[in-house]
């Protein structure tokens, strides 16, 4: 239970305050910013949960705004932090951006939202689509107050009744982001997969959906053997529409979906991966110039293609006079980022590409390896998943018995994908081929 919720500017000055329980004086928020700065000095980073004099401060920062919840109770910290995330999501949905100016311009509607989203410190309605039905940004003078939608009092608070579509469709995207750090020799230092199942639902009525994945735990618990590869997912997080009791008993993902676009679930796989796009680099430093050779390898199946590949290679901040030559794609020098960017529109699996770059150096200095940033790579591979996760079935059941079309798509893209560069080689004559 939260005692109060505050929205603060970067200096810690309250912009909005809502007291729900009255057991903590509003002046307690004055200790938040000194406490935060003290923790940053001691720990080197800000902690999301802090306690002083029996008051617990839970906070989330969005741009130039702090969202802070205070409590004296032995509250569930993750529930309150999740509520702050939902609060930020709702404000962003209403005002397009959550920042100090948008809060000052919309304080009346913010108080309305705070009253509906939390009651006596207990989170209530957090679904933006439902809130939009009876809390509007326009100010109307009505003789009869509008009744809140039935979804507010229903067990299914995230979906309204009476929704109708001429064509009933469901679009499901399995999106996996690859986080990876590779050393100059090409060995993987750390890697993991952050996955998400995203849906766009255009279905009439109150349908119930059942989603089946090639879940390793499900196959083991039922004693069945998987026809293909089974995946063991970790840190699974579901949208509130999923029946958790059903999932815990037989690993079936059963739910009544919200209308429109939402994220059904997210998961993580902490496994050793090989780089999908590997960049090998050679750097030669000479008096007055520096040269690069970068070889990019697409280390995935031949039938797959990576789209919109961007390879950002850092260079000294004072480099000038760039010259480039590449076997494929285009190269652009970006001085504001102290890097050049190699763009390849389509990079087929199993292929290689080569780039040569030459820069002039007006100053002579020692290269500091601690300040040498890594190569950053962006890519997107459609119809491909690294983990091997598969949608086994997606069943749609609605009492009217209409036929619906489910569409499933797989996408693998970069997350925090970095490759460290080797130390520059200093030599009199260049060993790299001329541009």
């Amino acid at each position: 239970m939260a005692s109060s919720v505050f929205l603060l500017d970067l200096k810690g000055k309250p912009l909005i305050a809502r007291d729900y329980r009255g057991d903590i004086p509003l002046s307690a928020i004055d200790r938040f910013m000194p406490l935060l700065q003290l923790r940053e000095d001691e720990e080197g980073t800000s902690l999301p949960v802090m306690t002083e004099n029996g008051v617990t401060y839970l906070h989330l920062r969005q741009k130039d705004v702090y969202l802070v919840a205070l409590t004296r109770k032995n509250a569930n910290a993750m529930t309150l932090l999740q509520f702050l995330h939902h609060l930020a999501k709702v404000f962003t949905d209403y005002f397009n951006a959550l920042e100090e100016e948008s809060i000052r311009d919309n304080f009346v509607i913010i108080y309305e939202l705070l009253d509906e989203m939390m009651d006596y410190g207990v989170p209530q309605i957090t679904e933006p689509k439902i809130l939009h039905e009876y809390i509007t940004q326009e100010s109307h003078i009505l003789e009869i107050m509008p009744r809140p939608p039935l979804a507010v009092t229903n067990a299914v608070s995230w979906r309204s009744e009476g929704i109708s579509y001429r064509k009933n469709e469901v679009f499901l995207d399995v999106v996996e982001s690859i986080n990876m750090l590779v050393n100059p020799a090409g060995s993987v230092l750390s890697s993991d997969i952050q996955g998400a199942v995203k849906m766009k639902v255009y279905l009439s009525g109150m349908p119930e959906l059942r989603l089946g994945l090639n879940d390793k735990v499900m196959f083991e618990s039922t004693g069945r053997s998987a026809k293909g590869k089974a995946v063991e997912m970790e840190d699974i997080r579901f949208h509130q529409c999923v029946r958790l009791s059903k999932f815990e008993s037989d690993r079936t993902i059963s739910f009544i979906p919200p209308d429109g676009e939402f994220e059904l679930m997210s998961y993580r796989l902490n496994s050793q991966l090989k780089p999908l796009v590997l960049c090998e680099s050679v750097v030669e430093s000479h008096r007055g110039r520096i040269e690069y050779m970068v070889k990019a390898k697409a280390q995935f199946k031949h039938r797959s293609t990576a789209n919109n590949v961007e390879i950002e290679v850092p260079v000294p901040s004072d480099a000038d006079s760039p010259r480039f030559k590449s076997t494929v794609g285009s190269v652009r020098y970006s001085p504001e980022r102290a890097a050049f960017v190699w763009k390849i529109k389509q990079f087929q699996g199993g292929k290689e590409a080569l780039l040569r770059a030459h820069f002039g150096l007006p100053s002579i200095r020692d290269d500091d390896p601690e300040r040498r940033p890594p190569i950053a790579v962006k890519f997107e591979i459609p119809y491909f998943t690294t983990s091997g996760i598969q949608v086994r079935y997606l069943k749609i059941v609605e009492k009217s018995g209409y036929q619906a079309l489910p569409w499933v798509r797989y996408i693998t893209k970069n997350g925090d994908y970095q490759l460290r560069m080797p130390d520059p080689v200093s030599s009199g004559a260049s060993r790299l081929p001329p541009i």
Side-chain angles (χ1 to χ4, degrees):
M1 283 188 183
S3 296
S4 51
V5 171
F6 292 83
L7 275 68
L8 313 177
D9 63 15
L10 287 180
K11 295 180 180 178
K13 182 180 178 182
L15 303 170
I16 297 283
R18 180 66 175 89
D19 188 2
Y20 291 102
R21 298 178 58 84
D23 58 347
I24 297 178
L26 293 178
S27 59
I29 196 62
D30 297 338
R31 288 294 305 150
F32 169 72
M33 194 55 70
L35 193 60
L36 183 67
Q37 292 172 348
L38 178 65
R39 292 294 185 271
E40 286 181 348
D41 293 340
E42 291 178 352
E43 308 287 341
T45 183
S46 60
L47 301 174
V49 182
M50 303 176 293
T51 303
E52 185 183 67
N53 298 329
V55 178
T56 301
Y57 299 79
L58 303 98
H59 81 279
L60 167 70
R61 179 175 172 178
Q62 291 280 324
K63 293 186 179 179
D64 58 351
V65 175
Y66 285 102
L67 292 88
V68 186
L70 274 59
T71 181
R72 276 197 190 278
K73 302 287 182 181
N74 184 19
N76 187 322
M78 287 306 299
T79 298
L80 291 181
L81 287 172
Q82 188 73 11
F83 173 77
L84 294 178
H85 278 280
H86 279 287
L87 198 62
K89 180 183 174 183
V90 168
F91 289 164
T92 303
D93 189 83
Y94 266 82
F95 317 131
N96 294 328
L98 176 55
E99 51 193 30
E100 184 178 342
E101 185 179 354
S102 65
I103 290 170
R104 292 187 184 278
D105 291 342
N106 297 279
F107 70 93
V108 174
I109 198 167
I110 287 175
Y111 275 114
E112 288 188 53
L113 290 168
L114 288 172
D115 284 342
E116 293 297 336
M117 294 180 69
M118 181 169 274
D119 183 25
Y120 199 60
V122 179
Q124 301 291 316
I125 306 155
T126 58
E127 193 64 35
K129 290 187 178 70
I130 301 300
L131 290 166
H132 268 295
E133 291 189 23
Y134 66 107
I135 299 180
T136 59
Q137 288 170 283
E138 300 84 10
S139 56
H140 296 294
I141 300 174
L142 299 177
E143 294 180 3
I144 302 174
M145 292 297 291
R147 293 182 63 186
L150 291 174
V152 174
T153 54
N154 279 355
V156 184
S157 62
W158 52 87
R159 184 180 180 90
S160 297
E161 294 184 359
I163 297 172
S164 179
Y165 289 98
R166 287 186 63 185
K167 189 176 183 181
N168 294 284
E169 294 180 302
V170 177
F171 300 88
L172 187 148
D173 287 347
V174 179
V175 182
E176 292 190 339
S177 300
I178 309 299
N179 300 322
M180 182 170 289
L181 180 62
V182 182
N183 70 8
S187 301
V188 176
L189 300 177
S190 65
S191 64
D192 67 68
I193 301 170
Q194 298 285 343
V197 177
K198 301 181 179 182
M199 300 188 73
K200 289 183 181 179
V201 176
Y202 306 107
L203 297 174
S204 305
M206 296 290 280
E208 180 163 334
L209 276 64
R210 295 189 186 94
L211 175 66
L213 304 172
N214 56 335
D215 182 7
K216 184 177 180 181
V217 177
M218 187 274 291
F219 286 120
E220 289 177 351
S221 62
T222 57
R224 290 185 289 172
S225 59
K227 293 182 179 179
K229 180 182 178 182
V231 176
E232 187 172 359
M233 297 178 286
E234 304 172 21
D235 296 343
I236 301 174
R237 189 176 68 179
F238 288 112
H239 188 276
Q240 61 175 329
C241 66
V242 175
R243 294 187 176 90
L244 295 180
S245 58
K246 184 78 171 167
F247 179 77
E248 289 169 359
S249 62
D250 59 10
R251 305 291 286 192
T252 300
I253 303 172
S254 176
F255 58 100
I256 297 175
D259 186 47
E261 189 172 350
F262 70 102
E263 184 177 291
L264 176 67
M265 62 177 287
S266 62
Y267 58 90
R268 182 178 63 86
L269 283 90
N270 194 7
S271 56
Q272 192 71 16
L273 307 170
K274 72 173 185 179
L276 296 177
V277 178
L278 179 64
C279 294
E280 299 174 346
S281 59
V282 177
V283 185
E284 283 194 358
S285 181
H286 307 275
R287 181 179 293 274
R289 74 181 194 277
I290 189 166
E291 298 179 11
Y292 297 83
M293 184 173 72
V294 181
K295 181 192 287 186
K297 297 180 180 180
Q299 299 190 136
F300 46 87
K301 295 178 181 178
H302 287 74
R303 63 172 178 265
S304 297
T305 301
N307 296 330
N308 303 318
V309 178
E310 285 190 18
I311 301 171
E312 183 176 306
V313 182
V315 299
S317 57
D318 55 355
D320 59 13
S321 307
R323 284 188 289 152
F324 306 108
K325 187 176 182 180
S326 63
T327 57
V328 66
S330 61
V331 190
R332 176 179 58 86
Y333 177 43
S334 181
E336 69 277 3
R337 290 148 70 180
F340 63 86
V341 181
W342 183 13
K343 293 186 178 182
I344 305 173
K345 193 166 184 63
Q346 290 189 318
F347 200 16
Q348 189 178 352
K351 299 289 186 180
E352 294 185 356
L354 195 65
L355 164 71
R356 286 273 289 108
H358 177 285
F359 290 88
L361 287 178
S363 60
I364 301 173
R365 69 211 172 306
D366 293 331
D367 187 52
D368 185 357
E370 296 296 326
R371 296 184 180 180
R372 194 183 310 124
I375 296 173
V377 182
K378 297 179 181 178
F379 58 86
E380 187 174 288
I381 309 174
Y383 317 113
F384 177 85
T385 58
T386 310
S387 65
I389 191 170
Q390 289 181 341
V391 176
R392 294 171 46 241
Y393 60 83
L394 178 60
K395 296 179 180 179
I396 303 164
V397 180
E398 212 278 333
K399 60 184 179 182
S400 64
Y402 60 70
Q403 294 295 314
L405 298 173
W407 305 90
V408 179
R409 182 173 61 168
Y410 301 93
I411 301 171
T412 294
K413 63 178 185 177
N414 67 284
D416 186 11
Y417 195 101
Q418 298 181 338
L419 303 100
R420 290 179 178 170
M421 299 182 67
D423 294 332
V425 178
S426 300
S427 57
S430 175
R431 294 177 296 173
L432 298 178
I435 295 180

